[in-house]
Amino acid sequence: MFITSNGFGLGHVTRCMAISRRLPPEIEPIIFTLSEALPIVRRQGFYAEYFASRDSETADQWNGRLRTRLLATFEQYDPAVVVFDGTHSYRGMREAFEEDPSRKYVWSRRGMWRPGGGVSNLTFTSYFDAVIEPGEFAHEVDQGLTTQHREGVTMVEPILFCDQEELLSREQAEAELDLEPGGVNVLIQPGWENDQYTPTGTRFVERLRREGDRVQIVVAQSPLKSRSVPLPAGLKTVSTYPLARVYRAFDLSVSGAGYNIFHELVGYQVPALFIPNAGTPLDDQVARTRYAQEKGVARSWEDGAEESLEEHLELLLDPAERARMRDRAAALSFGNGAAGAAARIVELVEQREAGPEDA
Amino acid sequence: MPRRIYLALISRLSRKQAKRLQSIVMALRPRARRRAAALAALTPEVHLMCIAWGVDRAELERIRDRMLAIGGRRPERMLVVSDCDALFGKGSCHFEYIPARAEWEQRFDPADYDGFVARRISEIAVSFRARRVVALGEIPEPLLYSLAGKKIGPAEEPPALEPPPAA
């Protein structure tokens, strides 16, 4: 059973589904989500349970209900392994873990925390039997606390929903998106968690429209109902899931820099201009995108200044520079860690089935 | 122990030691504080719980709007339970989703579904302390019996309806 916290976008559920779809057929995954992405999870063919994020209740009330609901859910489905994907483990969840010690509890905890952040998050590691850490392209510059807490940690490659061979070819993806062949196709996805989605997106659209008809712009809209935002008129939009399936249609992307979107673009070698969100509580997006620029696989637009934007876009609109970025990304490519994470979960299932004396 | 010291201490211990310390701290919490926490953990009463079964997204949204109209400024006193996944989002009434029969039957014993739903609905009613329950849509008969307080096991057939008395 996977428990996913709400988060701002689809990161947590996407990681859980990426691992789930690589489990052997005899293991039935259940996704217990706090995210409004429930319909997306179901459309991907997973069995899902839903528990609404806290709204009008007090923290005590909500945690109390979460604890009761989790204990009932454990009793109903008897999961051998429970994987939590999120940065902060909820009190109600920890209490349920403590009350039912018969299962293996796993924390899917990505790294790249902002330096010094997340001290209290780490104190709850003791509630978990194992930690799976989805890999990070920029791990060399990771200064976060998780780098010092390695006990019980299994590190896998970055976790992606799709494998390379699941992506549509450029021709197929262009046809699906109704794009004219031969153009320079740009995907704009400034990050659904970002309050600046509309102003930033609009700014890029206006700038890229000055390039004339050769540039075809597509704006990614969140498949989550509540995250729909108004955009300039006459734009082509895409709201498919998983969006990565159509990435090969694009010559470049202007994009937010959350874990999933970043690793998808770098992993699938799509040249990108990343806009890191410096205001996230834990995710060190600035360090991540800066590293990508240093390595020559993408550009990082941190200062929001018009001049630097021009400089970045000039580079990204140059076909030779894009080809260099793709080559460097290919040279530094990584595998998909979803299979490794699934293998670790299978081990834990087997340990639990074997009983405590063999574990 | 001040929280800051506690957190700093726990982050330096091994997992096993940290677990032991956490349980000691929990046990040492004064009884009055524990009782206050238990009281605070009680979910406020929900005045109306509506079970909307077998409805589509549009119908569920209509039901939500009517519930909100009834609930006025207190949407937190309204609860909708459904096998449809059209979620309500923040600021609306409470929503509980129960997996639909088709999804259950793909993975688990079909005979257990009615029992599963009856159990879930009863747990939901208890955890929200629902005062009144109404059921709309295509409610399966065993679930109706269960709502009426008649217990039915997963594999058990619902009792046959008695014929009306002869005139």
Side-chain angles (χ1 to χ4, degrees):
Chain A
M1 180 167 135
F2 291 83
I3 302 175
T4 84
S5 64
N6 191 4
F8 290 107
L10 292 160
H12 300 296
V13 281
T14 294
R15 254 190 313 278
C16 289
M17 287 194 286
I19 300 170
S20 295
R21 63 202 294 261
R22 288 164 179 89
L23 288 169
E26 64 274 16
I27 295 181
E28 176 68 49
I30 293 167
I31 297 188
F32 181 102
T33 185
L34 276 65
S35 161
E36 58 182 297
L38 168 73
I40 296 169
V41 175
R42 292 183 61 217
R43 275 200 297 275
Q44 291 298 315
F46 295 105
Y47 184 84
E49 285 275 3
Y50 172 73
F51 189 83
S53 293
R54 188 161 77 85
D55 188 1
S56 55
E57 292 162 285
T58 65
D60 282 335
Q61 289 164 345
W62 184 83
N63 276 298
R65 278 203 309 111
L66 176 63
R67 176 190 149 278
T68 310
R69 172 68 186 283
L70 279 175
L71 287 170
T73 310
F74 293 166
E75 196 180 327
Q76 176 69 48
Y77 301 109
D78 190 22
V81 173
V82 177
V83 181
F84 168 66
D85 192 290
T87 45
H88 181 78
S89 57
Y90 308 105
R91 175 156 43 87
M93 186 181 83
R94 299 195 306 267
E95 287 172 1
F97 289 2
E98 241 180 358
E99 220 158 303
D100 184 349
S102 65
R103 304 164 207 293
K104 296 277 183 192
Y105 296 108
V106 180
W107 188 4
S108 168
R109 180 193 77 190
R110 44 170 190 69
M112 212 72 204
W113 291 9
R114 291 155 74 97
V119 176
S120 62
N121 303 45
L122 278 174
T123 58
F124 305 123
T125 311
S126 56
Y127 287 86
F128 296 93
D129 299 291
V131 176
I132 294 175
E133 186 172 306
E136 172 69 53
F137 178 73
H139 68 93
E140 282 178 16
V141 290
D142 186 350
Q143 301 285 313
L145 276 177
T146 57
T147 56
Q148 295 155 34
H149 290 74
R150 310 307 299 164
E151 192 193 347
V153 176
T154 302
M155 180 121 184
V156 297
E157 300 258 28
I159 293 181
L160 303 175
F161 188 89
C162 294
D163 288 320
Q164 291 272 5
E165 52 275 17
E166 292 178 281
L167 270 56
L168 298 180
S169 68
R170 176 155 182 131
E171 293 71 31
Q172 289 168 325
E174 280 184 330
E176 188 162 315
L177 297 168
D178 201 20
L179 291 167
E180 289 294 325
V184 176
N185 302 334
V186 183
L187 175 65
I188 298 186
Q189 41 179 355
W192 295 316
E193 79 282 11
N194 197 334
D195 291 340
Q196 293 298 305
Y197 186 102
T198 305
T200 314
T202 306
R203 198 166 163 191
F204 279 105
V205 170
E206 283 165 1
R207 168 63 189 82
L208 288 164
R209 274 181 171 166
R210 294 209 297 270
E211 293 292 315
D213 289 344
R214 76 185 182 105
V215 172
Q216 303 186 89
I217 305 166
V218 179
V219 177
Q221 288 226 286
S222 170
L224 296 180
K225 196 169 51 173
S226 69
R227 305 260 196 273
S228 319
V229 287
L231 290 163
L235 271 180
K236 198 181 279 296
T237 59
V238 59
S239 178
T240 185
Y241 186 90
L243 186 57
R245 262 182 73 250
V246 294
Y247 268 4
R248 289 206 178 118
F250 296 102
D251 297 280
L252 66 125
S253 177
V254 174
S255 173
Y259 178 92
N260 280 28
I261 230 170
F262 175 90
H263 286 95
E264 282 176 354
L265 289 168
V266 173
Y268 305 138
Q269 295 137 37
V270 182
L273 173 56
F274 287 116
I275 312 162
N277 182 352
T280 61
L282 268 188
D283 196 21
D284 195 355
Q285 296 190 2
V286 173
R288 179 182 290 140
T289 58
R290 215 174 263 173
Y291 180 82
Q293 179 163 315
E294 272 167 35
K295 291 289 165 187
V297 301
R299 305 291 298 177
S300 173
W301 187 43
E302 295 166 32
D303 58 9
E306 210 61 50
E307 308 77 57
S308 57
L309 173 63
E310 275 304 320
E311 190 188 314
H312 289 310
L313 284 180
E314 211 167 287
L315 271 170
L316 281 159
L317 288 166
D318 173 2
E321 183 57 36
R322 288 201 303 272
R324 274 195 289 276
M325 282 188 185
R326 277 195 300 270
D327 290 346
R328 282 189 288 261
L332 296 170
S333 68
F334 45 82
N336 188 349
R344 176 69 181 125
I345 290 167
V346 171
E347 268 175 32
L348 290 162
V349 169
E350 284 165 357
Q351 275 179 25
R352 199 260 189 168
E353 310 278 282
E357 63 278 8
D358 297 337
Chain B
M1 188 185 317
R3 186 177 156 76
R4 228 149 38 109
I5 299 173
Y6 171 67
L7 292 179
L9 182 62
I10 233 167
S11 66
R12 279 167 180 75
L13 297 175
S14 74
R15 283 218 315 261
K16 209 170 171 184
Q17 289 167 326
K19 221 167 193 172
R20 190 170 301 160
L21 178 65
Q22 277 166 344
S23 53
I24 292 169
V25 169
M26 282 300 284
L28 287 176
R29 283 174 84 185
R31 188 184 289 178
R33 225 176 119 194
R34 269 183 283 159
R35 196 180 303 134
L39 276 176
L42 280 177
T43 301
E45 277 180 336
V46 156
H47 291 189
L48 182 59
M49 165 171 159
C50 173
I51 301 167
W53 213 253
V55 297
D56 61 14
R57 181 171 286 261
E59 182 61 26
L60 187 65
E61 282 169 358
R62 267 196 297 277
I63 291 169
R64 176 202 57 196
D65 292 345
R66 286 170 63 194
M67 294 281 281
L68 287 174
I70 297 166
R73 290 183 182 175
R74 306 297 300 270
E76 72 277 11
R77 298 287 164 125
M78 302 282 147
L79 164 67
V80 176
V81 182
S82 182
D83 58 349
C84 170
D85 66 8
L87 309 178
F88 294 170
K90 286 209 170 246
S92 190
C93 46
H94 292 288
F95 177 78
E96 287 280 329
Y97 162 78
I98 300 181
R101 183 182 293 277
E103 295 199 23
W104 173 277
E105 289 183 349
Q106 279 172 33
R107 293 150 178 104
F108 310 110
D109 185 350
D112 292 344
Y113 183 70
D114 291 332
F116 160 69
V117 174
R119 260 195 316 281
R120 276 293 304 281
I121 286 183
S122 133
E123 282 159 13
I124 291 166
V126 169
S127 84
F128 281 98
R129 298 195 289 154
R131 274 200 208 165
R132 289 180 201 84
V133 179
V134 292
L136 303 172
E138 295 164 16
I139 310 282
E141 212 165 82
L143 178 55
L144 272 181
Y145 279 100
S146 146
L147 287 171
K150 295 179 192 263
K151 262 199 161 171
I152 296 168
E156 202 178 321
E157 283 293 312
L161 295 172
E162 283 180 17

